[in-house]
Amino acid sequence: AQSVSQHNHHVILSEAASLELGCNYSYGGTVNLFWYVQYPGQHLQLLLKYFSGDPLVKGIKGFEAEFIKSKFSFNLRKPSVQWSDTAEYFCAVTTTGRRALTFGSGTRLQVQP
Amino acid sequence: EPEVTQTPSHQVTQMGQEVILRCVPISNHLYFYWYRQILGQKVEFLVSFYNNEISEKSEIFDDQFSVERPDGSNFTLKIRSTKLEDSAMYFCASSDEAVLTHEQYFGPGTRLTVT
């Protein structure tokens, strides 16, 4: 069965700092990769996804992620964070023929003004 | 923008009681899902539903759980006899079959507390 690891559980940054959140998955076959965000008091929202093609994926609100197949990684990046990016970020994966999302444990990002 | 809605937002029940959690998926979506998140743990997949039947389920989704699409808009999760360990946030999601990437849209969740 596939699994997803997010190594950073809690990240604190100052505004304008750069962000990189790690995500690694374990699965030997084809995967679809997602990053979801949950702002305080709100529901999970899709930030970006990788399905095929260009491994560098751009999402909403200036976020991007790079799929590195050889490293089984799909790290999330943003060059300059804002206070409004304070949220919990979840990496997730689906595999060929399955729609069930397997989530990582989430990373709580706190951006200080 | 269309959204997935869930009711109630918070449900408190006693151990052994039956609960029904309700969801209204996005209207043109055909795949529906339930996930749960126990406090401090990962979001876990429970079940997916398509064309009036379960298409996939996890080990968590045992005989105590059932899902139903009772009408054209609602999608429900029933827990027959709740246990303390069923206390969690339950998320409903839906996706559009026509979209190849079948991204899932989540509702705000129902917090279930079993006492």
PDB file of all heavy atoms in Angstrom, chain B residues 1-7 21-34 49 68-76 92-96 105-108:
ATOM      1  N   GLU B   1     -19.155  30.053  -6.494  1.00  0.00           N
ATOM      2  CA  GLU B   1     -18.528  28.776  -6.824  1.00  0.00           C
ATOM      3  C   GLU B   1     -19.227  27.658  -6.045  1.00  0.00           C
ATOM      4  O   GLU B   1     -19.450  27.773  -4.840  1.00  0.00           O
ATOM      5  CB  GLU B   1     -17.049  28.824  -6.428  1.00  0.00           C
ATOM      6  CG  GLU B   1     -16.275  27.602  -6.848  1.00  0.00           C
ATOM      7  CD  GLU B   1     -14.794  27.720  -6.519  1.00  0.00           C
ATOM      8  OE1 GLU B   1     -14.246  28.841  -6.609  1.00  0.00           O
ATOM      9  OE2 GLU B   1     -14.195  26.704  -6.188  1.00  0.00           O
ATOM     10  N   PRO B   2     -19.587  26.577  -6.726  1.00  0.00           N
ATOM     11  CA  PRO B   2     -20.281  25.484  -6.024  1.00  0.00           C
ATOM     12  C   PRO B   2     -19.409  24.878  -4.943  1.00  0.00           C
ATOM     13  O   PRO B   2     -18.189  24.804  -5.099  1.00  0.00           O
ATOM     14  CB  PRO B   2     -20.561  24.455  -7.117  1.00  0.00           C
ATOM     15  CG  PRO B   2     -20.013  24.967  -8.363  1.00  0.00           C
ATOM     16  CD  PRO B   2     -19.398  26.301  -8.145  1.00  0.00           C
ATOM     17  N   GLU B   3     -20.041  24.449  -3.863  1.00  0.00           N
ATOM     18  CA  GLU B   3     -19.314  23.885  -2.731  1.00  0.00           C
ATOM     19  C   GLU B   3     -20.005  22.618  -2.249  1.00  0.00           C
ATOM     20  O   GLU B   3     -21.203  22.421  -2.438  1.00  0.00           O
ATOM     21  CB  GLU B   3     -19.290  24.889  -1.573  1.00  0.00           C
ATOM     22  CG  GLU B   3     -18.430  26.111  -1.798  1.00  0.00           C
ATOM     23  CD  GLU B   3     -18.349  26.982  -0.553  1.00  0.00           C
ATOM     24  OE1 GLU B   3     -19.246  26.868   0.304  1.00  0.00           O
ATOM     25  OE2 GLU B   3     -17.406  27.769  -0.455  1.00  0.00           O
ATOM     26  N   VAL B   4     -19.231  21.782  -1.594  1.00  0.00           N
ATOM     27  CA  VAL B   4     -19.779  20.632  -0.887  1.00  0.00           C
ATOM     28  C   VAL B   4     -20.215  21.123   0.493  1.00  0.00           C
ATOM     29  O   VAL B   4     -19.458  21.845   1.159  1.00  0.00           O
ATOM     30  CB  VAL B   4     -18.714  19.524  -0.747  1.00  0.00           C
ATOM     31  CG1 VAL B   4     -19.248  18.372   0.081  1.00  0.00           C
ATOM     32  CG2 VAL B   4     -18.251  19.053  -2.122  1.00  0.00           C
ATOM     33  N   THR B   5     -21.408  20.769   0.897  1.00  0.00           N
ATOM     34  CA  THR B   5     -21.882  21.169   2.218  1.00  0.00           C
ATOM     35  C   THR B   5     -22.121  19.930   3.079  1.00  0.00           C
ATOM     36  O   THR B   5     -22.408  18.838   2.545  1.00  0.00           O
ATOM     37  CB  THR B   5     -23.173  22.000   2.139  1.00  0.00           C
ATOM     38  OG1 THR B   5     -24.194  21.230   1.483  1.00  0.00           O
ATOM     39  CG2 THR B   5     -22.954  23.282   1.349  1.00  0.00           C
ATOM     40  N   GLN B   6     -21.982  20.109   4.392  1.00  0.00           N
ATOM     41  CA  GLN B   6     -22.170  18.996   5.317  1.00  0.00           C
ATOM     42  C   GLN B   6     -22.987  19.463   6.522  1.00  0.00           C
ATOM     43  O   GLN B   6     -22.813  20.585   6.996  1.00  0.00           O
ATOM     44  CB  GLN B   6     -20.817  18.477   5.820  1.00  0.00           C
ATOM     45  CG  GLN B   6     -20.018  17.757   4.760  1.00  0.00           C
ATOM     46  CD  GLN B   6     -18.745  17.156   5.313  1.00  0.00           C
ATOM     47  OE1 GLN B   6     -17.643  17.528   4.921  1.00  0.00           O
ATOM     48  NE2 GLN B   6     -18.889  16.214   6.245  1.00  0.00           N
ATOM     49  N   THR B   7     -23.851  18.576   6.986  1.00  0.00           N
ATOM     50  CA  THR B   7     -24.604  18.849   8.205  1.00  0.00           C
ATOM     51  C   THR B   7     -24.663  17.587   9.069  1.00  0.00           C
ATOM     52  O   THR B   7     -24.677  16.462   8.526  1.00  0.00           O
ATOM     53  CB  THR B   7     -26.052  19.290   7.891  1.00  0.00           C
ATOM     54  OG1 THR B   7     -26.662  18.308   7.032  1.00  0.00           O
ATOM     55  CG2 THR B   7     -26.090  20.649   7.240  1.00  0.00           C
ATOM     56  N   LEU B  21     -24.517  11.127   9.160  1.00  0.00           N
ATOM     57  CA  LEU B  21     -23.870  12.365   8.744  1.00  0.00           C
ATOM     58  C   LEU B  21     -24.287  12.639   7.301  1.00  0.00           C
ATOM     59  O   LEU B  21     -24.285  11.736   6.469  1.00  0.00           O
ATOM     60  CB  LEU B  21     -22.339  12.239   8.848  1.00  0.00           C
ATOM     61  CG  LEU B  21     -21.798  11.729  10.179  1.00  0.00           C
ATOM     62  CD1 LEU B  21     -20.275  11.717  10.169  1.00  0.00           C
ATOM     63  CD2 LEU B  21     -22.321  12.530  11.343  1.00  0.00           C
ATOM     64  N   ARG B  22     -24.606  13.892   7.035  1.00  0.00           N
ATOM     65  CA  ARG B  22     -25.175  14.241   5.731  1.00  0.00           C
ATOM     66  C   ARG B  22     -24.258  15.147   4.933  1.00  0.00           C
ATOM     67  O   ARG B  22     -23.565  16.001   5.484  1.00  0.00           O
ATOM     68  CB  ARG B  22     -26.530  14.909   5.915  1.00  0.00           C
ATOM     69  CG  ARG B  22     -27.508  14.059   6.678  1.00  0.00           C
ATOM     70  CD  ARG B  22     -28.864  14.691   6.845  1.00  0.00           C
ATOM     71  NE  ARG B  22     -29.651  13.934   7.828  1.00  0.00           N
ATOM     72  CZ  ARG B  22     -30.298  12.808   7.560  1.00  0.00           C
ATOM     73  NH1 ARG B  22     -30.272  12.311   6.353  1.00  0.00           N
ATOM     74  NH2 ARG B  22     -30.970  12.187   8.506  1.00  0.00           N
ATOM     75  N   CYS B  23     -24.324  14.963   3.642  1.00  0.00           N
ATOM     76  CA  CYS B  23     -23.480  15.722   2.722  1.00  0.00           C
ATOM     77  C   CYS B  23     -24.303  16.045   1.483  1.00  0.00           C
ATOM     78  O   CYS B  23     -25.105  15.224   1.038  1.00  0.00           O
ATOM     79  CB  CYS B  23     -22.259  14.870   2.359  1.00  0.00           C
ATOM     80  SG  CYS B  23     -21.259  15.463   0.975  1.00  0.00           S
ATOM     81  N   VAL B  24     -24.089  17.228   0.947  1.00  0.00           N
ATOM     82  CA  VAL B  24     -24.643  17.564  -0.363  1.00  0.00           C
ATOM     83  C   VAL B  24     -23.461  17.828  -1.281  1.00  0.00           C
ATOM     84  O   VAL B  24     -22.787  18.857  -1.158  1.00  0.00           O
ATOM     85  CB  VAL B  24     -25.572  18.787  -0.314  1.00  0.00           C
ATOM     86  CG1 VAL B  24     -26.086  19.110  -1.721  1.00  0.00           C
ATOM     87  CG2 VAL B  24     -26.742  18.535   0.628  1.00  0.00           C
ATOM     88  N   PRO B  25     -23.153  16.896  -2.174  1.00  0.00           N
ATOM     89  CA  PRO B  25     -22.021  17.084  -3.092  1.00  0.00           C
ATOM     90  C   PRO B  25     -22.314  18.177  -4.118  1.00  0.00           C
ATOM     91  O   PRO B  25     -23.448  18.637  -4.250  1.00  0.00           O
ATOM     92  CB  PRO B  25     -21.902  15.719  -3.780  1.00  0.00           C
ATOM     93  CG  PRO B  25     -22.689  14.771  -2.938  1.00  0.00           C
ATOM     94  CD  PRO B  25     -23.764  15.586  -2.309  1.00  0.00           C
ATOM     95  N   ILE B  26     -21.298  18.556  -4.855  1.00  0.00           N
ATOM     96  CA  ILE B  26     -21.473  19.500  -5.949  1.00  0.00           C
ATOM     97  C   ILE B  26     -22.382  18.846  -6.993  1.00  0.00           C
ATOM     98  O   ILE B  26     -22.215  17.662  -7.321  1.00  0.00           O
ATOM     99  CB  ILE B  26     -20.105  19.905  -6.528  1.00  0.00           C
ATOM    100  CG1 ILE B  26     -19.340  20.717  -5.468  1.00  0.00           C
ATOM    101  CG2 ILE B  26     -20.256  20.703  -7.817  1.00  0.00           C
ATOM    102  CD1 ILE B  26     -17.908  21.037  -5.813  1.00  0.00           C
ATOM    103  N   SER B  27     -23.303  19.629  -7.529  1.00  0.00           N
ATOM    104  CA  SER B  27     -24.459  19.060  -8.217  1.00  0.00           C
ATOM    105  C   SER B  27     -24.120  18.220  -9.443  1.00  0.00           C
ATOM    106  O   SER B  27     -24.799  17.242  -9.709  1.00  0.00           O
ATOM    107  CB  SER B  27     -25.439  20.167  -8.616  1.00  0.00           C
ATOM    108  OG  SER B  27     -24.811  21.063  -9.501  1.00  0.00           O
ATOM    109  N   ASN B  28     -23.118  18.528 -10.219  1.00  0.00           N
ATOM    110  CA  ASN B  28     -22.834  17.746 -11.413  1.00  0.00           C
ATOM    111  C   ASN B  28     -21.752  16.685 -11.184  1.00  0.00           C
ATOM    112  O   ASN B  28     -21.286  16.059 -12.133  1.00  0.00           O
ATOM    113  CB  ASN B  28     -22.447  18.667 -12.577  1.00  0.00           C
ATOM    114  CG  ASN B  28     -21.172  19.425 -12.280  1.00  0.00           C
ATOM    115  OD1 ASN B  28     -20.837  19.652 -11.118  1.00  0.00           O
ATOM    116  ND2 ASN B  28     -20.449  19.804 -13.314  1.00  0.00           N
ATOM    117  N   HIS B  29     -21.352  16.497  -9.933  1.00  0.00           N
ATOM    118  CA  HIS B  29     -20.349  15.490  -9.628  1.00  0.00           C
ATOM    119  C   HIS B  29     -21.001  14.123  -9.486  1.00  0.00           C
ATOM    120  O   HIS B  29     -22.156  14.008  -9.051  1.00  0.00           O
ATOM    121  CB  HIS B  29     -19.585  15.854  -8.359  1.00  0.00           C
ATOM    122  CG  HIS B  29     -18.609  16.964  -8.561  1.00  0.00           C
ATOM    123  ND1 HIS B  29     -17.764  17.403  -7.568  1.00  0.00           N
ATOM    124  CD2 HIS B  29     -18.318  17.714  -9.653  1.00  0.00           C
ATOM    125  CE1 HIS B  29     -17.004  18.371  -8.033  1.00  0.00           C
ATOM    126  NE2 HIS B  29     -17.335  18.585  -9.303  1.00  0.00           N
ATOM    127  N   LEU B  30     -20.241  13.090  -9.831  1.00  0.00           N
ATOM    128  CA  LEU B  30     -20.792  11.737  -9.824  1.00  0.00           C
ATOM    129  C   LEU B  30     -20.079  10.807  -8.853  1.00  0.00           C
ATOM    130  O   LEU B  30     -20.580   9.731  -8.564  1.00  0.00           O
ATOM    131  CB  LEU B  30     -20.718  11.149 -11.241  1.00  0.00           C
ATOM    132  CG  LEU B  30     -21.546  11.884 -12.297  1.00  0.00           C
ATOM    133  CD1 LEU B  30     -21.335  11.245 -13.664  1.00  0.00           C
ATOM    134  CD2 LEU B  30     -23.032  11.875 -11.935  1.00  0.00           C
ATOM    135  N   TYR B  31     -18.889  11.204  -8.385  1.00  0.00           N
ATOM    136  CA  TYR B  31     -18.152  10.392  -7.415  1.00  0.00           C
ATOM    137  C   TYR B  31     -18.234  11.076  -6.061  1.00  0.00           C
ATOM    138  O   TYR B  31     -18.065  12.290  -5.960  1.00  0.00           O
ATOM    139  CB  TYR B  31     -16.670  10.268  -7.819  1.00  0.00           C
ATOM    140  CG  TYR B  31     -16.377   9.132  -8.752  1.00  0.00           C
ATOM    141  CD1 TYR B  31     -16.420   9.319 -10.131  1.00  0.00           C
ATOM    142  CD2 TYR B  31     -16.028   7.873  -8.270  1.00  0.00           C
ATOM    143  CE1 TYR B  31     -16.140   8.273 -10.999  1.00  0.00           C
ATOM    144  CE2 TYR B  31     -15.737   6.832  -9.135  1.00  0.00           C
ATOM    145  CZ  TYR B  31     -15.797   7.044 -10.490  1.00  0.00           C
ATOM    146  OH  TYR B  31     -15.521   6.004 -11.348  1.00  0.00           O
ATOM    147  N   PHE B  32     -18.483  10.290  -5.030  1.00  0.00           N
ATOM    148  CA  PHE B  32     -18.605  10.832  -3.684  1.00  0.00           C
ATOM    149  C   PHE B  32     -17.721  10.020  -2.750  1.00  0.00           C
ATOM    150  O   PHE B  32     -17.509   8.812  -2.960  1.00  0.00           O
ATOM    151  CB  PHE B  32     -20.063  10.780  -3.212  1.00  0.00           C
ATOM    152  CG  PHE B  32     -21.046  11.236  -4.250  1.00  0.00           C
ATOM    153  CD1 PHE B  32     -22.021  10.375  -4.718  1.00  0.00           C
ATOM    154  CD2 PHE B  32     -20.975  12.508  -4.770  1.00  0.00           C
ATOM    155  CE1 PHE B  32     -22.914  10.781  -5.690  1.00  0.00           C
ATOM    156  CE2 PHE B  32     -21.865  12.930  -5.754  1.00  0.00           C
ATOM    157  CZ  PHE B  32     -22.840  12.063  -6.213  1.00  0.00           C
ATOM    158  N   TYR B  33     -17.238  10.693  -1.706  1.00  0.00           N
ATOM    159  CA  TYR B  33     -16.263  10.090  -0.810  1.00  0.00           C
ATOM    160  C   TYR B  33     -16.543  10.499   0.638  1.00  0.00           C
ATOM    161  O   TYR B  33     -17.079  11.587   0.891  1.00  0.00           O
ATOM    162  CB  TYR B  33     -14.841  10.578  -1.156  1.00  0.00           C
ATOM    163  CG  TYR B  33     -14.473  10.537  -2.609  1.00  0.00           C
ATOM    164  CD1 TYR B  33     -14.860  11.547  -3.475  1.00  0.00           C
ATOM    165  CD2 TYR B  33     -13.718   9.486  -3.128  1.00  0.00           C
ATOM    166  CE1 TYR B  33     -14.521  11.525  -4.818  1.00  0.00           C
ATOM    167  CE2 TYR B  33     -13.366   9.457  -4.474  1.00  0.00           C
ATOM    168  CZ  TYR B  33     -13.773  10.481  -5.308  1.00  0.00           C
ATOM    169  OH  TYR B  33     -13.433  10.457  -6.628  1.00  0.00           O
ATOM    170  N   TRP B  34     -16.117   9.632   1.541  1.00  0.00           N
ATOM    171  CA  TRP B  34     -16.025  10.002   2.948  1.00  0.00           C
ATOM    172  C   TRP B  34     -14.609   9.739   3.434  1.00  0.00           C
ATOM    173  O   TRP B  34     -14.024   8.692   3.119  1.00  0.00           O
ATOM    174  CB  TRP B  34     -17.012   9.207   3.810  1.00  0.00           C
ATOM    175  CG  TRP B  34     -18.429   9.674   3.702  1.00  0.00           C
ATOM    176  CD1 TRP B  34     -19.429   9.101   2.984  1.00  0.00           C
ATOM    177  CD2 TRP B  34     -19.004  10.823   4.347  1.00  0.00           C
ATOM    178  NE1 TRP B  34     -20.591   9.819   3.127  1.00  0.00           N
ATOM    179  CE2 TRP B  34     -20.361  10.877   3.970  1.00  0.00           C
ATOM    180  CE3 TRP B  34     -18.523  11.809   5.218  1.00  0.00           C
ATOM    181  CZ2 TRP B  34     -21.238  11.864   4.408  1.00  0.00           C
ATOM    182  CZ3 TRP B  34     -19.384  12.790   5.660  1.00  0.00           C
ATOM    183  CH2 TRP B  34     -20.727  12.818   5.257  1.00  0.00           C
ATOM    184  N   PHE B  49     -18.014   6.215  -3.713  1.00  0.00           N
ATOM    185  CA  PHE B  49     -19.361   5.799  -4.142  1.00  0.00           C
ATOM    186  C   PHE B  49     -19.610   6.350  -5.520  1.00  0.00           C
ATOM    187  O   PHE B  49     -19.385   7.532  -5.785  1.00  0.00           O
ATOM    188  CB  PHE B  49     -20.355   6.378  -3.136  1.00  0.00           C
ATOM    189  CG  PHE B  49     -21.762   5.872  -3.234  1.00  0.00           C
ATOM    190  CD1 PHE B  49     -22.134   4.708  -2.594  1.00  0.00           C
ATOM    191  CD2 PHE B  49     -22.729   6.588  -3.928  1.00  0.00           C
ATOM    192  CE1 PHE B  49     -23.443   4.255  -2.642  1.00  0.00           C
ATOM    193  CE2 PHE B  49     -24.039   6.152  -3.990  1.00  0.00           C
ATOM    194  CZ  PHE B  49     -24.405   4.982  -3.337  1.00  0.00           C
ATOM    195  N   GLU B  68     -25.215   5.924   1.623  1.00  0.00           N
ATOM    196  CA  GLU B  68     -26.436   5.907   0.842  1.00  0.00           C
ATOM    197  C   GLU B  68     -26.588   7.231   0.117  1.00  0.00           C
ATOM    198  O   GLU B  68     -26.155   8.267   0.597  1.00  0.00           O
ATOM    199  CB  GLU B  68     -27.632   5.685   1.784  1.00  0.00           C
ATOM    200  CG  GLU B  68     -28.922   5.375   1.101  1.00  0.00           C
ATOM    201  CD  GLU B  68     -30.057   5.143   2.088  1.00  0.00           C
ATOM    202  OE1 GLU B  68     -29.992   5.685   3.206  1.00  0.00           O
ATOM    203  OE2 GLU B  68     -31.009   4.447   1.729  1.00  0.00           O
ATOM    204  N   ARG B  69     -27.218   7.134  -1.056  1.00  0.00           N
ATOM    205  CA  ARG B  69     -27.615   8.341  -1.788  1.00  0.00           C
ATOM    206  C   ARG B  69     -29.144   8.286  -1.824  1.00  0.00           C
ATOM    207  O   ARG B  69     -29.723   7.756  -2.752  1.00  0.00           O
ATOM    208  CB  ARG B  69     -27.030   8.298  -3.190  1.00  0.00           C
ATOM    209  CG  ARG B  69     -27.356   9.486  -4.043  1.00  0.00           C
ATOM    210  CD  ARG B  69     -26.099  10.233  -4.336  1.00  0.00           C
ATOM    211  NE  ARG B  69     -26.283  11.094  -5.532  1.00  0.00           N
ATOM    212  CZ  ARG B  69     -26.241  12.399  -5.489  1.00  0.00           C
ATOM    213  NH1 ARG B  69     -26.025  13.017  -4.351  1.00  0.00           N
ATOM    214  NH2 ARG B  69     -26.396  13.110  -6.578  1.00  0.00           N
ATOM    215  N   PRO B  70     -29.774   8.807  -0.789  1.00  0.00           N
ATOM    216  CA  PRO B  70     -31.229   8.609  -0.643  1.00  0.00           C
ATOM    217  C   PRO B  70     -32.068   9.371  -1.661  1.00  0.00           C
ATOM    218  O   PRO B  70     -33.205   9.005  -1.926  1.00  0.00           O
ATOM    219  CB  PRO B  70     -31.510   9.111   0.777  1.00  0.00           C
ATOM    220  CG  PRO B  70     -30.404  10.066   1.076  1.00  0.00           C
ATOM    221  CD  PRO B  70     -29.204   9.556   0.338  1.00  0.00           C
ATOM    222  N   ASP B  71     -31.470  10.430  -2.233  1.00  0.00           N
ATOM    223  CA  ASP B  71     -32.198  11.197  -3.242  1.00  0.00           C
ATOM    224  C   ASP B  71     -31.181  11.788  -4.202  1.00  0.00           C
ATOM    225  O   ASP B  71     -30.011  11.415  -4.169  1.00  0.00           O
ATOM    226  CB  ASP B  71     -33.066  12.274  -2.577  1.00  0.00           C
ATOM    227  CG  ASP B  71     -32.240  13.160  -1.647  1.00  0.00           C
ATOM    228  OD1 ASP B  71     -31.130  13.550  -2.038  1.00  0.00           O
ATOM    229  OD2 ASP B  71     -32.686  13.418  -0.525  1.00  0.00           O
ATOM    230  N   GLY B  72     -31.604  12.712  -5.026  1.00  0.00           N
ATOM    231  CA  GLY B  72     -30.699  13.229  -6.046  1.00  0.00           C
ATOM    232  C   GLY B  72     -29.658  14.185  -5.562  1.00  0.00           C
ATOM    233  O   GLY B  72     -28.778  14.579  -6.336  1.00  0.00           O
ATOM    234  N   SER B  73     -29.716  14.567  -4.271  1.00  0.00           N
ATOM    235  CA  SER B  73     -28.754  15.567  -3.834  1.00  0.00           C
ATOM    236  C   SER B  73     -27.947  15.154  -2.608  1.00  0.00           C
ATOM    237  O   SER B  73     -26.818  15.583  -2.450  1.00  0.00           O
ATOM    238  CB  SER B  73     -29.461  16.897  -3.552  1.00  0.00           C
ATOM    239  OG  SER B  73     -30.455  16.725  -2.556  1.00  0.00           O
ATOM    240  N   ASN B  74     -28.500  14.329  -1.737  1.00  0.00           N
ATOM    241  CA  ASN B  74     -27.804  14.000  -0.493  1.00  0.00           C
ATOM    242  C   ASN B  74     -26.968  12.733  -0.608  1.00  0.00           C
ATOM    243  O   ASN B  74     -27.273  11.827  -1.383  1.00  0.00           O
ATOM    244  CB  ASN B  74     -28.826  13.805   0.635  1.00  0.00           C
ATOM    245  CG  ASN B  74     -29.451  15.103   1.062  1.00  0.00           C
ATOM    246  OD1 ASN B  74     -28.840  15.890   1.759  1.00  0.00           O
ATOM    247  ND2 ASN B  74     -30.681  15.348   0.615  1.00  0.00           N
ATOM    248  N   PHE B  75     -25.919  12.702   0.211  1.00  0.00           N
ATOM    249  CA  PHE B  75     -25.064  11.526   0.334  1.00  0.00           C
ATOM    250  C   PHE B  75     -24.807  11.364   1.821  1.00  0.00           C
ATOM    251  O   PHE B  75     -24.356  12.312   2.473  1.00  0.00           O
ATOM    252  CB  PHE B  75     -23.775  11.746  -0.457  1.00  0.00           C
ATOM    253  CG  PHE B  75     -22.775  10.637  -0.379  1.00  0.00           C
ATOM    254  CD1 PHE B  75     -23.126   9.322  -0.679  1.00  0.00           C
ATOM    255  CD2 PHE B  75     -21.451  10.889  -0.032  1.00  0.00           C
ATOM    256  CE1 PHE B  75     -22.201   8.297  -0.626  1.00  0.00           C
ATOM    257  CE2 PHE B  75     -20.515   9.869   0.021  1.00  0.00           C
ATOM    258  CZ  PHE B  75     -20.891   8.574  -0.276  1.00  0.00           C
ATOM    259  N   THR B  76     -25.123  10.200   2.371  1.00  0.00           N
ATOM    260  CA  THR B  76     -25.052  10.054   3.823  1.00  0.00           C
ATOM    261  C   THR B  76     -24.084   8.956   4.240  1.00  0.00           C
ATOM    262  O   THR B  76     -23.858   7.985   3.497  1.00  0.00           O
ATOM    263  CB  THR B  76     -26.435   9.724   4.416  1.00  0.00           C
ATOM    264  OG1 THR B  76     -26.891   8.477   3.879  1.00  0.00           O
ATOM    265  CG2 THR B  76     -27.447  10.809   4.105  1.00  0.00           C
ATOM    266  N   CYS B  92     -16.721  14.910   3.798  1.00  0.00           N
ATOM    267  CA  CYS B  92     -17.302  14.439   2.552  1.00  0.00           C
ATOM    268  C   CYS B  92     -16.576  15.125   1.399  1.00  0.00           C
ATOM    269  O   CYS B  92     -16.114  16.272   1.531  1.00  0.00           O
ATOM    270  CB  CYS B  92     -18.782  14.791   2.537  1.00  0.00           C
ATOM    271  SG  CYS B  92     -19.640  14.397   1.006  1.00  0.00           S
ATOM    272  N   ALA B  93     -16.462  14.445   0.284  1.00  0.00           N
ATOM    273  CA  ALA B  93     -15.858  15.047  -0.906  1.00  0.00           C
ATOM    274  C   ALA B  93     -16.592  14.551  -2.138  1.00  0.00           C
ATOM    275  O   ALA B  93     -17.266  13.516  -2.098  1.00  0.00           O
ATOM    276  CB  ALA B  93     -14.374  14.711  -0.992  1.00  0.00           C
ATOM    277  N   SER B  94     -16.455  15.294  -3.225  1.00  0.00           N
ATOM    278  CA  SER B  94     -17.031  14.838  -4.488  1.00  0.00           C
ATOM    279  C   SER B  94     -16.084  15.187  -5.623  1.00  0.00           C
ATOM    280  O   SER B  94     -15.233  16.075  -5.494  1.00  0.00           O
ATOM    281  CB  SER B  94     -18.416  15.447  -4.723  1.00  0.00           C
ATOM    282  OG  SER B  94     -18.355  16.841  -4.949  1.00  0.00           O
ATOM    283  N   SER B  95     -16.203  14.453  -6.717  1.00  0.00           N
ATOM    284  CA  SER B  95     -15.384  14.744  -7.890  1.00  0.00           C
ATOM    285  C   SER B  95     -16.189  14.510  -9.152  1.00  0.00           C
ATOM    286  O   SER B  95     -17.180  13.769  -9.161  1.00  0.00           O
ATOM    287  CB  SER B  95     -14.101  13.905  -7.895  1.00  0.00           C
ATOM    288  OG  SER B  95     -14.379  12.523  -8.030  1.00  0.00           O
ATOM    289  N   ASP B  96     -15.720  15.148 -10.211  1.00  0.00           N
ATOM    290  CA  ASP B  96     -16.385  15.130 -11.496  1.00  0.00           C
ATOM    291  C   ASP B  96     -15.779  14.011 -12.328  1.00  0.00           C
ATOM    292  O   ASP B  96     -14.598  14.043 -12.640  1.00  0.00           O
ATOM    293  CB  ASP B  96     -16.190  16.490 -12.161  1.00  0.00           C
ATOM    294  CG  ASP B  96     -16.875  16.591 -13.516  1.00  0.00           C
ATOM    295  OD1 ASP B  96     -17.404  15.574 -13.994  1.00  0.00           O
ATOM    296  OD2 ASP B  96     -16.845  17.679 -14.085  1.00  0.00           O
ATOM    297  N   TYR B 105     -13.244  17.700  -4.227  1.00  0.00           N
ATOM    298  CA  TYR B 105     -13.625  18.924  -3.524  1.00  0.00           C
ATOM    299  C   TYR B 105     -14.225  18.516  -2.186  1.00  0.00           C
ATOM    300  O   TYR B 105     -15.138  17.690  -2.137  1.00  0.00           O
ATOM    301  CB  TYR B 105     -14.637  19.714  -4.356  1.00  0.00           C
ATOM    302  CG  TYR B 105     -14.053  20.259  -5.633  1.00  0.00           C
ATOM    303  CD1 TYR B 105     -13.944  19.448  -6.760  1.00  0.00           C
ATOM    304  CD2 TYR B 105     -13.593  21.564  -5.710  1.00  0.00           C
ATOM    305  CE1 TYR B 105     -13.386  19.934  -7.938  1.00  0.00           C
ATOM    306  CE2 TYR B 105     -13.040  22.061  -6.888  1.00  0.00           C
ATOM    307  CZ  TYR B 105     -12.941  21.237  -7.992  1.00  0.00           C
ATOM    308  OH  TYR B 105     -12.388  21.709  -9.149  1.00  0.00           O
ATOM    309  N   PHE B 106     -13.713  19.127  -1.134  1.00  0.00           N
ATOM    310  CA  PHE B 106     -14.081  18.721   0.218  1.00  0.00           C
ATOM    311  C   PHE B 106     -15.096  19.663   0.851  1.00  0.00           C
ATOM    312  O   PHE B 106     -15.085  20.877   0.599  1.00  0.00           O
ATOM    313  CB  PHE B 106     -12.835  18.677   1.109  1.00  0.00           C
ATOM    314  CG  PHE B 106     -11.991  17.472   0.864  1.00  0.00           C
ATOM    315  CD1 PHE B 106     -11.124  17.408  -0.217  1.00  0.00           C
ATOM    316  CD2 PHE B 106     -12.070  16.376   1.707  1.00  0.00           C
ATOM    317  CE1 PHE B 106     -10.349  16.284  -0.459  1.00  0.00           C
ATOM    318  CE2 PHE B 106     -11.289  15.244   1.483  1.00  0.00           C
ATOM    319  CZ  PHE B 106     -10.440  15.202   0.403  1.00  0.00           C
ATOM    320  N   GLY B 107     -15.939  19.088   1.691  1.00  0.00           N
ATOM    321  CA  GLY B 107     -16.823  19.868   2.525  1.00  0.00           C
ATOM    322  C   GLY B 107     -16.118  20.310   3.795  1.00  0.00           C
ATOM    323  O   GLY B 107     -14.964  19.936   4.042  1.00  0.00           O
ATOM    324  N   PRO B 108     -16.811  21.099   4.622  1.00  0.00           N
ATOM    325  CA  PRO B 108     -16.188  21.643   5.829  1.00  0.00           C
ATOM    326  C   PRO B 108     -16.038  20.652   6.967  1.00  0.00           C
ATOM    327  O   PRO B 108     -15.334  20.928   7.942  1.00  0.00           O
ATOM    328  CB  PRO B 108     -17.148  22.776   6.229  1.00  0.00           C
ATOM    329  CG  PRO B 108     -18.462  22.348   5.680  1.00  0.00           C
ATOM    330  CD  PRO B 108     -18.165  21.610   4.414  1.00  0.00           C
TER     331      PRO B 108
END
